[in-house]
Amino acid sequence: MEKFVIVGGTPLNGEVTVSGAKNAALAIIPAAILCRDVCRIENVPTTISDVSFMIKTLRHIGAGVKLIDKSTIEIDSRHVSSYVISHDMTKYLRASYYFIGALLGRFHKASVAMPGGCYLGPRPIDQHIKGFEALGAKVTVEDNAIVEAVADELVGSPIYLDVVSVGATVNIMLACVMADGLTVIENAAKEPHIVDLANFLNSMGADIRGAGTDVIKIRGVGSLHGCTYSIIPDQIEAGTFMVAAAATRGNVLVKNVIPKHLESISSKLIECGANVEEYDDSVRVSMDCRPGKCNIKTMPHPGFPTDMQPQMSVLLSIADGTSIVSESIWSNRFRYTEQLSRMGASITVDGQIAVIHGVDCLKGAPVKADDLRAGAAMIIAGLAATGKTEIEDILYIDRGYEHVVEKFGNLGADIKRVYCVEPFSVSDAG
Ligand code: EPU
């Protein structure tokens, strides 16, 4: 077991380069099996564990995967032979369910165990299933454990999503890209990674229009071919460094970003008193005073992203005044507030609303990462706090952030990854 040990109180200063977007990579990697050809994908965050699991799954079904350099992979899908993915492969991450859409698109059948992933509240897949069925697939979920989808043929169809779902939008795009005729996804998700997936599929020969709006039109094509494609920068990793810079009253140039993707984050930071300067592909965040309060409501893109809510709440926990944070995507995304309270934060949670009374400063304490973004929030809290913070369960953080110690360390943070012995349990007593 490993943990991060942080000695806080040092303003972050310098430059950091953001990796490729995790959530785009997790959609694009399975999409590569839709062609019987070779795809070269650049700007992949190859060292995060979610990507490692996707690569492992690709190999399991017969794809060849080569690491060309530290952020480029080549996927050879000519010999993909299996449409079955077991629980061993899917239990660690949510995005494993993108193989349902991709295998259905390629073989017209898929047998994929239900996905794991961070617990953020119930994560139903009814909209994915509704989409597959609209395309003509018969879908059964056995014992709530394995999703079986099979279709004699896939036929394009209008599909209205009852909730704006990133996952369902991705999965339907994967399943219908080679269907017969036109599919129209209405009330589609508009996140940057949806646009990135559409651009990747179009580079493979697909005919997708409207990605980035709430109506996506996909005209099925007979086949797809290999391509070379570079994944967009990670909006949430960028936002995490931006908030860390502000929370430590530092001055950081965050490089390899698309500033347009960061607008909702930048505007909240500015509201809190940070200076945010945008350049072509970088953004500088600095803060030279105590942050001011602000209210936040998470929304699907282009609203404030739920995946930045815990990090931003850390900044608000040391703000001058009381802030209200409303979480409207996930029903259980405030568990980290308990950890933050151990560091001296004053937060009251009622359902999906947190009321944060800013305190003068946080104090280092032993805490844990409840999930990926909760873990990122704990890092920011540790960096901003006085004294030592130890963060356990960092495997969640390793799912989505590359080179954490190196990247924060280069900005002047005192952060170490240390091995720790598992706590003694009664069963160890023999
Ligand atoms: N929903 C349904 N039915 C469905 C699908 C979703 O009711 O069939 C509901 C969910 O319960 C939730 C809402 O719709 O309340 C949005 O869920 P969505 O499907 O958009 O989420 P997701 O695809 O499971 C992705 C990201 C999450 C991010 C959300 C929201 C990936 C791999 N995951 O999840 O990212 O929080 O979109 O933006 O892309 C993270 O990176 O830390 C992370 C959790």
Side-chain angles (χ1 to χ4, degrees), residues 22-24 26 50 94-95 97-98 118 120 122-129 163-168 189 191 193 236 300 306-307 328-331 333 371-373:
K22 170 185 82 98
N23 288 343
L26 296 180
D50 273 14
R94 198 76 199 152
Y97 61 16
Y98 292 153
C118 289
L120 309 170
R123 298 182 78 169
I125 61 163
D126 56 302
Q127 298 303 304
H128 304 234
I129 292 174
V163 289
V164 179
S165 161
V166 171
E191 269 64 7
H193 33 291
I236 305 300
T306 172
D307 293 343
S328 54
I329 310 291
W330 299 115
S331 60
R333 203 164 204 176
D371 58 59
L372 167 59
R373 308 304 174 187

Side-chain angles (χ1 to χ4, degrees), residues 14-22 42-45 70-71 196 230-242 252-262 277-284 402-403 407:
E15 299 181 358
V16 63
T17 302
V18 166
S19 299
K22 170 185 82 98
E42 300 165 350
N43 206 30
V44 180
K70 62 180 178 19
S71 60
D196 212 31
S230 184
I231 286 178
I232 52 167
D234 197 303
Q235 171 203 26
I236 305 300
E237 188 196 4
T240 301
F241 282 111
M242 291 165 73
V252 174
L253 183 68
V254 185
K255 300 197 313 190
N256 184 34
V257 301
I258 298 176
K260 177 100 189 128
H261 294 170
L262 302 171
E277 293 161 41
E278 283 180 9
Y279 305 100
D280 287 347
D281 60 357
S282 60
V283 53
R284 179 178 292 284
E402 284 201 303
H403 312 305
K407 287 189 179 188

Side-chain angles (χ1 to χ4, degrees), residues 106-272:
R106 175 159 173 157
F107 293 121
H108 289 190
K109 54 188 174 184
S111 171
V112 178
M114 283 293 268
C118 289
Y119 182 73
L120 309 170
R123 298 182 78 169
I125 61 163
D126 56 302
Q127 298 303 304
H128 304 234
I129 292 174
K130 170 177 156 172
F132 299 146
E133 287 178 340
L135 297 170
K138 184 170 181 309
V139 185
T140 50
V141 185
E142 284 194 24
D143 298 332
N144 206 23
I146 297 186
V147 183
E148 307 267 3
V150 59
D152 291 334
E153 56 172 349
L154 292 167
V155 181
S157 158
I159 300 167
Y160 181 87
L161 296 181
D162 302 332
V163 289
V164 179
S165 161
V166 171
T169 305
V170 167
N171 242 336
I172 294 167
M173 284 165 76
L174 297 175
C176 76
V177 68
M178 290 189 289
D180 199 7
L182 182 70
T183 298
V184 180
I185 309 176
E186 293 195 57
N187 202 25
K190 297 182 281 213
E191 269 64 7
H193 33 291
I194 299 287
V195 179
D196 212 31
L197 173 65
N199 288 340
F200 173 67
L201 291 169
N202 284 341
S203 306
M204 294 169 85
D207 181 357
I208 303 177
R209 291 157 202 224
T213 74
D214 48 20
V215 181
I216 304 180
K217 294 185 178 163
I218 303 137
R219 189 166 291 284
V221 293
S223 64
L224 296 173
H225 52 74
C227 68
T228 296
Y229 190 79
S230 184
I231 286 178
I232 52 167
D234 197 303
Q235 171 203 26
I236 305 300
E237 188 196 4
T240 301
F241 282 111
M242 291 165 73
V243 173
T248 59
R249 299 196 198 175
N251 184 332
V252 174
L253 183 68
V254 185
K255 300 197 313 190
N256 184 34
V257 301
I258 298 176
K260 177 100 189 128
H261 294 170
L262 302 171
E263 275 173 357
S264 59
I265 302 165
S266 299
S267 78
K268 282 294 157 188
L269 284 171
I270 292 167
E271 209 178 314
C272 290

Side-chain angles (χ1 to χ4, degrees), residues 323-396:
S323 308
I324 296 173
V325 176
S326 318
E327 171 57 52
S328 54
I329 310 291
W330 299 115
S331 60
N332 197 356
R333 203 164 204 176
F334 282 125
R335 285 184 300 158
Y336 69 89
T337 57
E338 235 175 79
Q339 306 297 317
L340 213 47
S341 301
R342 295 161 68 114
M343 300 178 73
S346 172
I347 306 179
T348 318
V349 175
D350 184 3
Q352 285 173 240
I353 294 183
V355 179
I356 305 178
H357 304 285
V359 296
D360 286 342
C361 71
L362 298 174
K363 294 183 191 67
V367 292
K368 64 177 172 131
D370 284 307
D371 58 59
L372 167 59
R373 308 304 174 187
M378 290 306 116
I379 293 180
I380 298 174
L383 295 170
T386 54
K388 186 161 90 172
T389 295
E390 299 190 349
I391 308 174
E392 290 195 348
D393 293 347
I394 61 171
L395 76 171
Y396 288 110

